């Protein structure tokens, strides 16, 4: 199979995301990291451009990766880019219900299959929203995100804690 999508908000990218992106890049010829253009822009911590720049830097060692934005339906973006598969990480049973529902909806809408990769256990508790919260109150997130992202979080929340 040629092209896979790894979709998400990536606000910001964590070691959990990176784990899934790296493993996807080993199984597919080409991987598009698809960053959703969030309609509730005010709720995002980082702008799309900042998220893209961080993703570019932390995936620079991978040579079959492209970072793109999308809005609207993921399956429309997948079709426009000739992607045959969507790849998602599953952290825990709590992810499963919603991810299964989305996978089935996307399959019904487009015929595109979703493949699940089990998150590496050391990252199974990680989410961007928790990382944002911990960083906002001055907690140490250096083991949860790449150094560049930890630096950007510290800069963003400097003086807030
Ligand atoms: O990182 P997130 O916020 O968990 O990512 C969720 C995302 C972007 C993968 C999901 O919300 C999505 O695919 N949105 C696009 C809109 C869409 O296609 N909706 C129908 C899905 S069944």
């Amino acid at each position: 199979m040629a092209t896979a999508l790894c979709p998400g908000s990536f606000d910001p990218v964590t070691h959990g995301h990176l784990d899934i992106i790296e493993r996807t890049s080993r199984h597919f010829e080409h991987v598009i990291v698809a960053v959703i253009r969030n309609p509730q822009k005010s709720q995002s911590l980082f702008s799309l451009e900042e998220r893209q720049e961080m993703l570019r830097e932390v995936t620079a060692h991978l040579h079959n990766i492209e970072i793109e934005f999308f809005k609207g339906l993921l399956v429309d973006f997948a079709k426009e880019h000739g992607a045959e598969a969507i790849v998602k990480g599953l952290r825990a049973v709590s992810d499963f219900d919603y991810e299964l529902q989305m996978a089935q909806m996307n399959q019904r809408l487009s015929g595109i299959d979703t493949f699940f990769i089990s998150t590496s256990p050391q990252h199974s508790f990680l989410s961007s929203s928790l990382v944002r919260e911990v960083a906002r109150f001055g907690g140490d997130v250096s083991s949860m995100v790449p150094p560049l992202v930890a630096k950007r979080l510290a800069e963003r929340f400097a003086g807030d804690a």
Side-chain angles (χ1 to χ4, degrees):
M1 249 191 262
T3 300
L5 295 186
C6 286
S9 309
F10 304 102
D11 187 32
V13 59
T14 68
H15 279 319
H17 293 129
L18 202 47
D19 173 46
I20 299 301
I21 294 168
E22 283 172 348
R23 288 157 69 198
T24 304
S25 83
R26 295 206 286 269
H27 295 287
F28 290 86
E29 285 167 37
H30 185 57
V31 177
I32 303 175
V33 177
V35 184
I36 190 165
R37 287 183 187 274
N38 194 337
Q40 296 98 15
K41 215 176 167 186
S42 58
Q43 287 176 10
S44 304
L45 178 63
F46 291 104
S47 70
L48 277 175
E49 291 69 27
E50 288 171 319
R51 285 184 257 163
Q52 183 184 43
E53 188 213 329
M54 286 187 272
L55 276 162
R56 280 226 173 98
E57 292 220 14
V58 303
T59 59
H61 59 296
L62 304 170
H63 301 293
N64 56 349
I65 301 276
E66 194 184 336
I67 319 291
E68 296 272 355
F69 304 132
F70 79 100
K71 62 180 176 185
L73 289 177
L74 180 64
V75 291
D76 288 341
F77 177 83
K79 279 192 256 176
E80 281 160 26
H81 288 75
E84 292 97 345
I86 296 165
V87 178
K88 295 282 197 76
L90 275 186
R91 290 169 296 193
V93 175
S94 50
D95 279 345
F96 183 74
D97 280 351
Y98 187 49
E99 289 295 345
L100 178 66
Q101 203 179 1
M102 283 200 286
Q104 290 171 329
M105 176 61 85
N106 285 333
Q107 218 283 335
R108 172 70 61 88
L109 289 172
S110 66
I112 295 173
D113 282 318
T114 298
F115 294 78
F116 294 111
I117 294 184
S118 57
T119 296
S120 297
Q122 68 269 31
H123 305 313
S124 62
F125 67 98
L126 266 184
S127 69
S128 294
S129 57
L130 271 185
V131 164
R132 290 197 302 271
E133 185 169 316
V134 170
R136 185 184 304 275
F137 295 111
D140 180 7
V141 294
S142 59
S143 66
M144 304 168 204
V145 294
L148 166 74
V149 178
K151 184 168 170 276
R152 292 289 156 80
L153 283 163
E155 287 165 0
R156 185 58 44 102
F157 292 125
D160 274 14

